[in-house]
Amino acid sequence: LELRDQKRVVPALRKLAETVDGMLVVEMNAGQMVEDVRLAVEGRVPVEFYGRMGGIIPSPEEIVIALEKMVKKDVAVAAEAY
């Protein structure tokens, strides 16, 4: 992100991280933005990545499946904690 974008986006991501249990970064590449999101939220929530390369746009169904996997993963981690 360019500096002018960081001043707007980073605070918004940090604020959002206070209200969610995790974030899914959906990209049409190999994950260039996921690390930026992880840095922005400063470990407040888990950040997962779903990407498609070659100009292939992820379908809504694929995104829902990725979100469902995130939820199942979080439930499994929570169950192990008990």
Side-chain angles (χ1 to χ4, degrees), residues 4 7 14 19 23 30 39-40 44 47 50 61 64 68 70 77-78 81:
R4 69 172 188 251
K7 290 181 179 180
R14 287 184 181 148
T19 64
M23 293 185 180
L39 290 170
R44 290 179 173 98
V47 177
Y50 181 78
E61 293 81 13
V64 168
E68 288 171 343
M70 269 184 78
V77 169

Side-chain angles (χ1 to χ4, degrees), residues 7-54:
K7 290 181 179 180
R8 180 178 40 101
V9 173
V10 171
L13 285 171
R14 287 184 181 148
K15 186 175 182 179
L16 179 63
E18 296 171 6
T19 64
V20 298
D21 294 325
M23 293 185 180
L24 178 66
V25 178
V26 179
E27 299 184 56
M28 289 177 39
N29 56 46
Q32 285 86 340
M33 293 301 297
V34 68
E35 191 59 31
D36 291 335
V37 174
R38 286 184 177 131
L39 290 170
V41 301
E42 298 176 322
R44 290 179 173 98
V45 295
V47 177
E48 299 288 333
F49 167 73
Y50 181 78
R52 298 288 305 267
M53 294 177 53

